[in-house]
Amino acid sequence: QVQLVESGGGLVQPGGSLTLSCVASGGIGSVYGLRWYRQGSGKERELVATIAGGGIINYPESTEGRFAISWDNAENTLYLQMNSLKPEDTAVYYCYADIRAAGTNNRSTYWGQGTQVVVSS
């Protein structure tokens, strides 16, 4: 059973940096897509970074130039490096993976449990 476990959230001052991690366990066969989302209080869930098939990376305007998504294939770990953080980046951050489990033909999507990021002075 594939599971995604996130870590790295916390409190950071405006202008600071934080790196989130998302470890995928349970046997990873093929990776079709990886994303980070966030959901602020009272807001809809928002896409903040994507690694699509073929390794194409995309960001929305709100995070372009400040956030960097990466995938360590050897460690099966997804990262989100966040720089120049703003109070409006405060949210629960979720990782998402579109994966085929190893040794199976089962392709499915998975979510992490979420990690809270608070940007405040």
Side-chain angles (χ1 to χ4, degrees):
Q1 178 71 19
V2 174
Q3 289 186 321
L4 303 181
V5 179
E6 302 176 32
S7 61
L11 173 65
V12 62
Q13 292 188 343
S17 298
L18 206 59
T19 300
L20 306 182
S21 302
C22 172
V23 178
S25 63
I28 308 303
S30 299
V31 179
Y32 300 99
L34 299 162
R35 303 173 191 168
W36 285 97
Y37 288 84
R38 67 185 179 189
Q39 189 165 17
S41 179
K43 299 180 180 179
E44 294 186 356
R45 191 166 293 191
E46 174 191 17
L47 177 66
V48 299
T50 301
I51 301 177
I56 297 172
I57 292 177
N58 284 292
Y59 305 94
E61 185 176 337
S62 59
T63 62
E64 177 79 51
R66 300 188 300 122
F67 289 13
I69 187 172
S70 61
W71 168 252
D72 185 328
N73 196 56
E75 299 293 331
N76 287 336
T77 300
L78 180 67
Y79 296 98
L80 184 68
Q81 173 68 42
M82 303 184 293
N83 301 317
S84 303
L85 283 162
K86 306 173 182 179
E88 51 264 44
D89 294 318
T90 294
V92 178
Y93 284 71
Y94 300 90
C95 58
Y96 162 102
D98 181 356
I99 288 174
R100 179 181 59 79
T104 77
N105 291 321
N106 297 328
R107 175 179 173 178
S108 189
T109 57
Y110 302 88
W111 290 87
Q113 81 283 5
T115 185
Q116 177 74 55
V117 172
V118 177
V119 184
S120 176
S121 55

